[in-house]
Amino acid sequence: MIFLSILQAVGLFLVTNIDDIIVLSLFFARGAGQRGTTTRILLGQYLGFAGILGAAVLVALGAGAFLPPEVIPYFGLIPLGLGLWAAWQAWRNRDEDDDDEGKIEGKKVAVWAVAGVTFANGGDNIGVYVPVFLSVGPAAVVAYCVVFLALVAVLVVVAKFIATRRPIAEILERWEHVLFPLVLIGLGIFILVSGGAFGLR
């Protein structure tokens, strides 16, 4: 039974987190050349995902008052705000980006930024995890959480692998300053609209 839960957890994680690889790859491209980038991204991803799991477990336990479903879409404001800020920074420093050294030396990626984007992008995860947690026993819920947390590290490793492949790395290096804000802004708008925030649905 536990083995079956583990297999289901792996499948569920892949389905609900595959989109994170793109965002994490862009974080790696953004922090290229900076010491500690992998550690900060890993910590941020774990903090954000722990928040997702915590919210899902709370809701599944009937503690919806802590995180009402109608509040979740508004977390889309986090990546939207980060994306707009990154776009402003890219526009403001557009002349410096022509310098080759500026391209090689990446920007410092903040743990809170990765955690915020991860959690904000987890609205669909919470929506999927809650009914699953409600349909299984406590032991299976623990198994799911352990597997999910183990796979977070795998997700980060895959994203780093993709971001450091030479052809992909060259594209990310050349276009990171455009792609990074665009992906975050698009992600934020998608979360807000798909969740019906501000009556947008």
Side-chain angles (χ1 to χ4, degrees), residues 163 165-176:
R165 295 310 91 196
R166 190 163 186 81
I168 299 172
E170 286 176 359
I171 293 170
L172 291 176
E173 182 182 292
R174 184 181 295 264
W175 295 104
E176 175 273 330

Side-chain angles (χ1 to χ4, degrees), residues 94-105:
R94 60 193 182 283
D95 294 331
E96 296 175 17
D97 286 340
D98 293 333
D99 182 13
D100 288 339
E101 287 185 16
K103 286 184 179 179
I104 293 170
E105 187 64 26

Side-chain angles (χ1 to χ4, degrees), residues 27-118:
F27 270 121
F28 274 112
R30 192 167 185 79
Q34 289 281 340
R35 291 186 64 181
T37 293
T38 301
T39 302
R40 287 191 295 275
I41 291 175
L42 187 63
L43 283 174
Q45 183 72 5
Y46 265 110
L47 282 174
F49 199 79
I52 291 170
L53 279 183
V57 170
L58 280 176
V59 174
L61 290 173
F66 290 102
L67 192 70
E70 59 271 15
V71 170
I72 293 173
Y74 291 95
F75 283 105
L77 292 170
I78 296 172
L80 178 62
L82 288 170
L84 290 172
W85 175 253
W88 164 249
Q89 292 288 93
W91 182 80
R92 199 178 66 173
N93 301 323
R94 60 193 182 283
D95 294 331
E96 296 175 17
D97 286 340
D98 293 333
D99 182 13
D100 288 339
E101 287 185 16
K103 286 184 179 179
I104 293 170
E105 187 64 26
K107 303 168 185 70
K108 192 168 183 178
V109 175
V111 172
W112 68 266
V114 180
V117 170
T118 300

Side-chain angles (χ1 to χ4, degrees), residues 1 123 185:
M1 192 69 178
I185 290 169

